[in-house]
Amino acid sequence: MYEVLEKLELAPKIKLIEIKAPEIAKKAKAGQFVILRMDEKGERIPLTLVEWNPEKGMITIIFQEVGVSTLKLGALEIGEVILDVAGPLGNPSDIENFGSVAVVCGGVGTAAAYPIAKALKEAGNKVISIVGARTEELLILEDEMKKISDEMFISTDDGSKGHKGFVSDVLKMLIEKGYHFDLAYAIGPPVMMRATANVTKSYSIKTIVSLNSIMVDGMGMCGACRVTVGGETKFACLDGPEFDAHIVNFDELIKRLRAYLSEEKQAIELYEKCGGCKCG
Amino acid sequence: MAKTEKQKRWHSISMPKQKPKDRIRNFNEVALGYTMEQAVAEAERCLQCPKPQCIQGCPVDLDIPAFIKEIKEKNFDAAIKKVKEKNSLPAICGRVCPQETQCQKFCIVGKKGDPLSIGRLERFIADYELQKGVTVPPRSNSPVSGKVAIVGSGPAGLTAAADLAKLGHEVVIFEALHTPGGVLMYGIPEFRLPKKTVQAEVDYVKKLGVDVKTDHMIGRLYTIDELFEREFDAVFIGTGAGLPRFMRIPGENLGGIYSANEFLIRVNLMKAYMFPEYDTPIRVGKKVAVIGGGNVAMDSARSALRLGAEEVWIVYRRSREELPARLEEVENAEEEGIKFKFLTTPVKFLGDETGWVTGMECIAMQLGEPDESGRRRPIPIEGSEFVMDVDTVIIAIGQTPNPIIQRTTKGLKTTKWGTIVVNDKTGKTTRKRVYAGGDVVSGAATVISAMGAGKKAARSIHRYLLRKKRLQQRKKS
């Protein structure tokens, strides 16, 4: 049992919770994730670790309420418990001093990008971050990202804050203006990661993406998270979650992520119909 | 016509089963187990050979004639006690052991008629005790108590843990998933091995004093070296063969194509057959193809049928004779209406614009000369390609060990298949104080061979701890 110690709403449907998990807090590294299971009937869902505090024995996750599991997670109050939290899982990010790094992130992906950007900054890199969202009120971790970035740019699809358009457009603009990047990270919705990869590819900037494939165990057993990278099948949980953006088959990833949309909808309807009890 | 006493001797008592037309609509156990009368009658068939042959077929050296004698004499408590001297998981073994190729293969009665139904009797006596309430043997007051970490709570780990605990050691099992049991929980379906039975036997191991820590993935949370830093004296790796193999052919990552592991994990571990009451979904179409011919393929096919598939095909590249699955499971599958396509293998999966599988291009095979495995090698027949329309595919062509521990442990020698190299007699790996056994050493095999390996390693670990203690005492004196 893992107790919820803190809970915040960062934006509509985007929540942050701190969980007591001392063993994981001691071992976590940037780029890793945990698998959560809410209760006996719950599914196993992967969520990226955003922060961890070994002294306090606490980890932080941020999630968007999109399915029954994240709705249940969002409904938890401080003091309530999550049945299972397994981790840290996945390979940590490869952090060294690369020089100048662009951290391009969008939506709730910003939560996954933040610890990596922070580690890159601590390793001596110049961090230029580009943070995006559909609209201003969905922007998260703005202050946190600003603190660890040498420069930060914001973009919103509707132009309510920062540049109007996509994060990939901002990156292209910066490169054209003469910004030099030794490495880029792109973390967010697959469409955004694909667009960013396309930009950096044309400028030959090495780019890493962190993939959010569907997972069941998250430990290499099911292969649900398989993704084609450079023509080979890889498991996001075991070989990733980070891969070379220029050789990831994003079209396949996007299709695989849609596999259970109708079941998710059915489950949410049932969940909402009876206030979360799912008695049917 | 009533059978004479003599005739009876040669025919085993059949075990009641759910009827095929009923059982394909539920996930309840297919085989229902002997009644007390049936068990005693079957036990009476045992010759009580002075030199019993059956024992040599048992990887855990169960004293088979002795426990059968107790059943025959209706000393049921004595019978289960006898079984548990060697086997801590009898309700599991009685259900899933391939007795026909082990103990029962050597049974003398079997030379003339049906061999004794040793597995059914083991199951009967184990269920008898589970129903009545389990007796836990007193803990040994061994003066050589050491601290042992067991990685993985499948059959190998549970057996090693139980044996070491009985010898008086402090044992901690680290399980990566949220539930202990390994393949017994995530792999083998409810209708063949009820999860409450597995839980009951895991509970027995816990009652022996074993501490089970779930959600602990060794290799990620702690490395093997870090376990030694945490003051464990020895480590046993029983992490199984959990990494699914794929065909590596075009279209394999289309939607609707599952590894058998994913399919069975969703169904068994996550109870997707009760979606949406349970949160994990599974999608099974009308026409399902299962690639492979082992027990996992049978389990997948029969699960797909129970999830509402209209037609389920087992597609196997060799012929019926080479099927690696237990005969009993093949018969169960056939009774339920599973269809078989032999000498066939897919070469390409076809999909629609949404990325969902719609068919598979197959090629017919013929059998050539025997290969290293001794089975005749399948050879594709050129120009025989044809398309099978399917909307769900389950790939059940085998598993290899999960590589995480191997990747994170220096000096641990592995084979090109990713299995850990051990000394055959002791289960010792190339790393000091690290032992391994089960599928992680042998590659995917049976529950009972993993248990045998767990037992062997437990004995070696105990000997090592004894030696260590003696050395320490010598130093002191």
Side-chain angles (χ1 to χ4, degrees):
Chain A
M1 300 281 214
Y2 300 81
E3 192 188 342
V4 175
L5 302 172
E6 182 63 86
K7 180 183 171 185
L8 294 168
E9 184 158 348
L10 302 182
K13 291 201 158 265
I14 300 180
K15 289 177 178 163
L16 171 151
I17 57 173
E18 287 173 1
I19 306 165
K20 190 166 185 195
E23 289 180 278
I24 301 172
K26 266 189 208 139
K27 296 289 296 193
K29 290 201 170 77
Q32 292 189 298
F33 62 92
V34 287
I35 290 263
L36 275 81
R37 191 175 72 125
M38 292 300 301
D39 49 52
E40 273 307 326
K41 294 181 177 177
E43 62 183 332
R44 295 171 63 96
I45 54 164
L47 287 168
T48 305
L49 284 158
V50 181
E51 278 191 305
W52 44 93
N53 185 327
E55 286 77 39
K56 290 185 183 159
M58 169 171 108
I59 59 171
T60 306
I61 52 169
I62 293 175
F63 56 94
Q64 191 166 12
E65 294 170 337
V66 286
V68 166
S69 299
T70 42
L71 282 166
K72 278 188 190 172
L73 193 59
L76 281 183
E77 298 299 337
I78 293 170
E80 291 188 303
V81 294
I82 299 166
L83 186 56
D84 293 286
V85 181
L89 301 173
N91 297 304
S93 307
D94 177 20
I95 302 290
E96 49 181 285
N97 191 346
F98 298 99
S100 175
V101 185
V103 177
V104 187
C105 49
V108 76
T110 304
Y114 170 66
I116 298 169
K118 194 171 151 200
L120 286 167
K121 179 71 191 162
E122 281 163 7
N125 291 281
K126 183 176 177 192
V127 174
I128 313 287
S129 50
I130 306 170
V131 180
R134 276 206 325 273
T135 182
E136 183 182 2
E137 69 166 351
L138 294 174
L139 276 168
I140 57 165
L141 302 180
E142 219 183 303
D143 295 340
E144 288 81 356
M145 284 298 282
K146 193 173 269 168
K147 233 170 98 186
I148 49 110
S149 304
D150 290 85
E151 277 185 77
M152 183 166 93
F153 300 86
I154 285 172
S155 80
T156 48
D157 298 4
D158 62 0
S160 49
K161 185 157 190 183
H163 300 259
K164 182 176 190 305
F166 302 121
V167 281
S168 49
D169 303 335
V170 178
L171 178 66
K172 190 161 194 269
M173 203 175 71
L174 293 180
I175 297 169
E176 281 170 358
K177 265 191 187 169
Y179 277 73
H180 167 80
F181 296 112
D182 298 289
L183 180 74
Y185 258 94
I187 304 178
V191 178
M192 168 255 152
M193 292 194 281
R194 180 172 61 188
T196 308
N198 286 340
V199 169
T200 56
K201 198 171 186 177
S202 54
Y203 294 98
S204 303
I205 300 165
K206 188 184 170 188
T207 303
I208 310 284
V209 282
S210 179
L211 303 185
N212 54 341
S213 332
I214 291 178
M215 291 182 188
V216 185
D217 57 278
M219 296 163 174
M221 296 174 64
C222 73
C225 67
R226 63 193 192 272
V227 50
T228 304
V229 181
E232 272 183 63
T233 294
K234 298 278 182 193
F235 288 3
C237 66
L238 206 60
D239 307 307
E242 295 182 5
F243 293 103
D244 179 344
H246 296 154
I247 52 172
V248 167
N249 184 338
F250 285 105
D251 296 349
E252 182 186 275
L253 174 72
I254 290 165
K255 282 178 181 162
R256 288 188 67 80
L257 282 169
R258 290 188 192 136
Y260 288 103
L261 282 187
S262 64
E263 283 82 0
E264 276 164 26
K265 218 175 130 217
Q266 181 195 353
I268 288 177
E269 277 166 13
L270 191 61
Y271 179 82
E272 284 174 346
K273 197 175 90 188
C274 50
C277 76
K278 297 216 309 180
C279 57
Chain B
M1 198 176 73
K3 284 177 191 156
T4 64
E5 281 306 305
K6 213 169 176 187
Q7 277 174 324
K8 269 190 202 164
R9 161 143 282 165
W10 307 119
H11 296 281
S12 67
I13 309 249
S14 56
M15 179 163 53
K17 284 203 279 191
Q18 270 199 78
K19 288 198 182 73
K21 70 168 176 37
D22 299 331
R23 70 190 194 225
I24 60 168
R25 311 238 171 275
N26 66 56
F27 270 84
N28 301 338
E29 194 170 17
V30 167
L32 302 171
Y34 278 158
T35 60
M36 206 172 269
E37 292 71 32
Q38 287 171 324
V40 171
E42 181 67 15
E44 280 168 354
R45 295 178 58 232
C46 180
L47 297 176
Q48 292 293 315
C49 306
K51 280 186 193 157
Q53 300 296 303
C54 47
I55 301 177
Q56 64 175 289
C58 178
V60 298
D61 300 321
L62 198 63
D63 190 346
I64 294 162
F67 97 80
I68 292 184
K69 182 165 179 275
E70 300 292 1
I71 293 180
K72 188 173 137 190
E73 291 167 4
K74 298 189 187 168
N75 298 325
F76 301 126
D77 294 323
I80 185 64
K81 204 173 154 207
K82 199 82 214 163
V83 170
K84 285 224 168 147
E85 278 173 14
K86 289 290 169 70
N87 187 345
S88 300
L89 315 171
I92 293 166
C93 288
R95 286 170 166 86
V96 301
C97 265
Q99 291 97 7
E100 63 280 4
T101 59
Q102 300 184 339
C103 49
Q104 293 177 194
K105 190 172 115 184
F106 296 95
C107 174
I108 302 294
V109 183
K111 304 264 183 242
K112 245 183 128 170
D114 299 333
L116 253 280
S117 299
I118 300 167
R120 293 172 187 172
L121 289 172
E122 185 182 25
R123 170 190 167 145
F124 161 78
I125 202 64
D127 286 358
Y128 161 85
E129 190 196 35
L130 288 180
Q131 209 167 19
K132 182 174 163 253
V134 173
T135 325
V136 182
R139 236 179 125 81
S140 148
N141 286 324
S142 160
V144 282
S145 173
K147 196 174 163 190
V148 185
I150 306 281
V151 186
S153 64
L158 286 174
T159 304
D163 283 12
L164 287 162
K166 281 197 231 164
L167 289 164
H169 301 292
E170 189 187 331
V171 183
V172 182
I173 295 184
F174 294 95
E175 166 56 47
L177 289 172
H178 57 258
T179 308
V183 71
L184 307 167
M185 286 306 281
Y186 76 74
I188 304 176
E190 177 77 20
F191 56 81
R192 204 149 73 79
L193 179 64
K195 300 309 139 208
K196 71 171 191 331
T197 304
V198 180
Q199 251 148 21
E201 301 221 306
V202 170
D203 284 345
Y204 170 72
V205 175
K206 283 185 188 167
K207 280 183 194 152
L208 293 172
V210 174
D211 182 15
V212 181
K213 292 190 184 300
T214 51
D215 296 331
H216 280 64
M217 190 187 191
I218 301 305
R220 291 279 196 214
L221 183 61
Y222 304 119
T223 61
I224 297 290
D225 292 289
E226 284 165 337
L227 289 179
F228 287 122
E229 284 166 25
R230 295 170 79 85
E231 294 177 344
F232 283 98
D233 298 306
V235 176
F236 173 76
I237 304 171
T239 45
L243 193 76
R245 279 180 58 194
F246 284 95
M247 307 274 305
R248 297 171 181 246
I249 57 174
E252 197 163 20
N253 295 344
L254 285 164
I257 303 182
Y258 299 93
S259 72
N261 254 12
E262 179 184 356
F263 190 79
L264 293 173
I265 288 173
R266 283 182 185 272
V267 176
N268 299 325
L269 183 70
M270 307 310 297
K271 306 220 181 309
Y273 63 93
M274 290 193 252
F275 177 85
E277 186 197 339
Y278 280 72
D279 293 341
T280 305
I282 191 151
R283 196 184 286 177
V284 177
K286 291 192 170 108
K287 194 169 168 184
V288 180
V290 179
I291 318 299
N295 288 323
V296 174
M298 302 303 143
D299 286 344
S300 303
R302 297 171 69 198
S303 298
L305 196 69
R306 284 160 173 76
L307 288 164
E310 288 170 9
E311 214 177 292
V312 183
W313 287 90
I314 296 259
V315 178
Y316 181 51
R317 62 193 182 133
R318 291 181 163 103
S319 69
R320 178 179 290 270
E321 286 68 51
E322 289 82 20
L323 276 176
R326 288 181 73 187
L327 182 63
E328 187 184 318
E329 298 311 325
V330 176
E331 284 170 1
N332 278 332
E334 281 186 317
E335 278 175 19
E336 290 170 11
I338 306 288
K339 295 172 181 172
F340 289 76
K341 210 174 239 340
F342 293 111
L343 292 164
T344 303
T345 199
V347 288
K348 187 179 172 183
F349 296 104
L350 314 166
D352 61 17
E353 64 290 343
T354 67
W356 203 264
V357 67
T358 55
M360 55 185 200
E361 191 179 307
C362 297
I363 191 163
M365 314 287 270
Q366 59 188 352
L367 293 180
E369 294 300 308
D371 61 14
E372 319 83 75
S373 74
R375 294 175 303 174
R376 294 177 64 192
R377 188 194 301 273
I379 304 163
I381 302 171
E382 244 178 83
S384 67
E385 290 87 352
F386 65 98
V387 171
M388 238 179 122
D389 293 332
V390 289
D391 52 12
T392 307
V393 176
I394 303 165
I395 306 204
I397 58 165
Q399 296 92 237
T400 53
N402 189 304
I404 286 294
I405 288 180
Q406 289 85 322
R407 278 184 199 168
T408 54
T409 313
K410 273 196 191 121
L412 191 68
K413 198 175 165 197
T414 55
T415 66
K416 64 175 173 181
W417 301 282
T419 53
I420 298 176
V421 175
V422 299
N423 176 316
D424 239 10
K425 289 199 182 71
T426 60
K428 272 190 77 156
T429 69
T430 52
R431 271 290 303 268
K432 245 188 176 163
R433 299 191 284 158
V434 180
Y435 299 74
D439 284 2
V440 74
V441 168
S442 61
T446 60
V447 168
I448 189 71
S449 60
M451 289 175 58
K455 231 174 170 44
K456 191 162 61 185
R459 272 198 299 267
S460 311
I461 292 171
H462 181 62
R463 274 199 303 270
Y464 160 72
L465 293 169
L466 272 175
R467 244 186 354 258
K468 188 180 164 197
K469 188 85 177 182
R470 269 193 224 118
L471 276 174
Q472 280 170 348
Q473 281 168 344
R474 219 172 289 163
K475 267 183 203 163
K476 269 184 212 157
S477 59

